Amino acid sequence: MTHPFPDFTAPAGPARIGIGGPVGSGKTALIERLIPALTGRGISLAVITNDLVTDEDAERVRRSGLIDPARVRAVEAGACPHTVIREDPTLNLAAAEDLDAAFPGLDLILLESGGDNLASTFSLDLVDWWMFVIDVGQGDDIPRKRGPGIMQSDLLVINKLDLAPYVHVDAAAILREARAIRAARPVLGCCCRPYGRDGADGTDGIDAIVDLIDREVLFTRAARQDAG
Amino acid sequence: MTLLVNRLLGTLADPWLGEAVHRLEHRGAVETVTLPRADLARRRLRLRTDRGSDLAIALPREVALVDRAVLLLDPDRAVILRVEAENWLRLRPRDGAEALSLGYFAGNLHWRARFEGGDLLVAVEHPLATYLERLRDRLAEGRVQQVEQAAG
């Protein structure tokens, strides 16, 4: 495959994207969908997971068979998961630098935060761009509650849209409301594990997320040609 | 066509750059791109200049964007970065107890703040109404006074 960055990656090093959001919203599931989607576009990537006091998420990604386990690092955040992605991201910066050194030519590092509430944000010293993942199972009022994660993220992802009818949520309405609250900032819906389907029919929203990542952060040849 | 920026050439304060950009200004060949101050910490951005040119910026980690940075310079065009003027919400607490309480409250909400005399100044990075909504009870009860909203 022709490398998608013929003239652009060397000086800047790999891009770093943060993925935050409450416990159980589907951050790790989203990573499991992003890995093959990005790899399929020729992107060389690695993953850093943050857990409270274990390496549960890292182990899950390592065992997924989707990525070389050596490309997955775990950071144990301790009691306050937001602290290591915002106030003092030293541990995550070190993990990112280790991966950068270990895998020359890396294009992208995904940093998953330990689950937290609606207030968690990423330091821009750590990541270039970050998304916040919520899901319909938390209730249709989550976007209205705002909070820094909802309001300040570069992308708000609303996951598990396929479960909306079972939890009394109007999927179209929660997307519409979130877009109104965030004004110009993007909101995308997805189903990381489409119930009863394999997700291969292109209606799960994953491609739209990858397209946005490419356009806003990776700047592959395809994304630059899209600009006209 | 997307313009790629992976280094900063310098700023308009650098004499040789300032003069080169000035010459292009006479030919109407200088484009600007404007950023909120909060976005200066970013290393990768996709932006449009005031003339609609598409810009993809990917800087090394040790490089930081600054106001008046020269992003691109060639014989026919220059692209300059400008930082938006910041608005500050100036809040005057009624007394020392309220000053402590207001400072704790602003910190809890992660508002970017500075101090001037006895006032707390909050950087307005979101619609002003969202700040005033959070302060509604304090303002209504006279515990805090909104003095002015200053650009700076």
Side-chain angles (χ1 to χ4, degrees):
Chain A
M1 178 183 290
T2 306
H3 196 279
F5 307 95
D7 53 359
F8 199 43
T9 47
R16 296 183 200 151
I17 291 179
I19 301 177
V23 174
S25 61
K27 297 181 294 299
T28 311
L30 178 59
I31 286 176
E32 289 169 339
R33 296 299 311 278
L34 291 177
I35 290 171
L38 288 160
T39 305
R41 296 190 188 195
I43 308 299
S44 170
L45 63 89
V47 177
I48 298 171
T49 66
N50 285 253
D51 269 310
L52 277 180
V53 288
T54 69
D55 58 356
E56 177 77 21
D57 286 341
E59 271 307 303
R60 175 173 152 187
V61 177
R62 285 181 189 129
R63 289 176 181 161
S64 67
L66 298 168
I67 187 169
D68 172 2
R71 289 178 177 241
V72 182
R73 300 285 164 99
V75 169
E76 291 184 20
C80 301
H82 54 267
T83 311
V84 292
I85 59 168
R86 187 176 59 207
E87 279 83 3
D88 181 5
T90 311
L91 289 172
N92 277 295
L93 286 168
E97 285 163 12
D98 285 350
L99 284 166
D100 192 9
F103 298 97
L106 205 55
D107 301 312
L108 173 64
I109 299 174
L110 297 174
L111 292 104
E112 179 191 359
S113 81
D116 207 342
N117 53 34
L118 302 180
S120 63
T121 59
F122 280 85
S123 164
L124 292 176
D125 288 327
L126 176 63
V127 300
D128 300 301
W129 192 88
W130 59 283
M131 64 180 91
F132 197 76
V133 183
I134 59 173
D135 77 275
V136 296
Q138 296 159 335
D140 63 1
D141 57 345
I142 291 291
R144 286 198 299 277
K145 290 177 183 289
R146 293 177 164 81
I150 302 283
M151 301 302 292
Q152 295 174 25
S153 54
D154 295 299
L155 167 65
L156 178 66
V157 174
I158 304 181
N159 187 23
K160 308 183 191 178
L161 284 186
D162 51 334
L163 301 185
Y166 307 105
V167 290
H168 313 289
V169 169
D170 180 333
I174 193 173
L175 285 166
R176 194 167 52 242
E177 191 165 44
R179 287 181 177 126
I181 286 167
R182 280 172 52 88
R185 291 176 181 263
V187 176
L188 291 173
C190 71
C191 318
C192 288
R193 294 175 177 170
Y195 184 76
R197 292 185 286 120
D198 63 6
D201 59 4
T203 60
D204 53 23
I206 302 300
D207 274 350
I209 295 173
V210 175
D211 286 344
L212 190 70
I213 288 172
D214 194 356
R215 205 206 101 72
E216 296 298 318
V217 187
L218 296 176
F219 316 137
T220 63
R221 177 180 288 174
R224 285 181 273 140
Q225 283 168 347
D226 282 349
Chain B
M1 188 184 76
T2 305
L3 302 172
L4 306 176
V5 176
N6 52 20
R7 64 192 177 118
L8 297 186
L9 300 174
T11 75
L12 291 178
D14 300 329
W16 74 272
L17 274 174
E19 285 167 22
V21 172
H22 188 63
R23 281 195 295 275
L24 285 167
E25 263 172 351
H26 284 299
R27 293 162 45 195
V30 176
E31 301 184 32
T32 60
V33 62
T34 307
L35 263 192
R37 184 164 296 274
D39 281 342
L40 281 182
R42 293 183 184 272
R43 303 293 190 279
R44 283 183 181 250
L45 306 99
R46 189 78 178 255
L47 300 166
R48 281 204 181 274
T49 70
D50 58 343
R51 297 193 187 170
S53 299
D54 182 44
L55 215 60
I57 300 175
L59 298 173
R61 299 279 160 206
E62 66 275 14
V63 175
L65 292 168
V66 290
D67 189 29
R68 303 174 78 216
V70 180
L71 302 177
L72 191 139
L73 179 69
D74 63 35
D76 301 316
R77 168 163 54 185
V79 178
I80 310 299
L81 177 75
R82 296 281 186 187
V83 178
E84 286 176 1
E86 273 193 305
N87 287 324
W88 294 85
L89 175 62
R90 180 183 287 271
L91 301 170
R92 184 164 295 162
R94 182 176 56 194
D95 52 30
E98 180 58 28
L100 279 171
S101 172
L102 178 65
Y104 177 83
F105 179 75
N108 230 359
L109 291 174
H110 297 277
W111 287 351
R112 191 157 58 83
R114 59 187 168 94
F115 303 93
E116 215 171 85
D119 296 342
L120 177 76
L121 278 70
V122 177
V124 180
E125 297 174 334
H126 310 290
L128 179 63
T130 61
Y131 295 86
L132 297 179
E133 174 66 21
R134 301 279 82 75
L135 293 161
R136 183 178 52 198
D137 289 351
R138 291 172 194 271
L139 292 167
E141 293 165 11
R143 293 153 57 197
V144 171
Q145 182 187 358
Q146 181 188 348
V147 179
E148 64 188 78
Q149 189 188 339

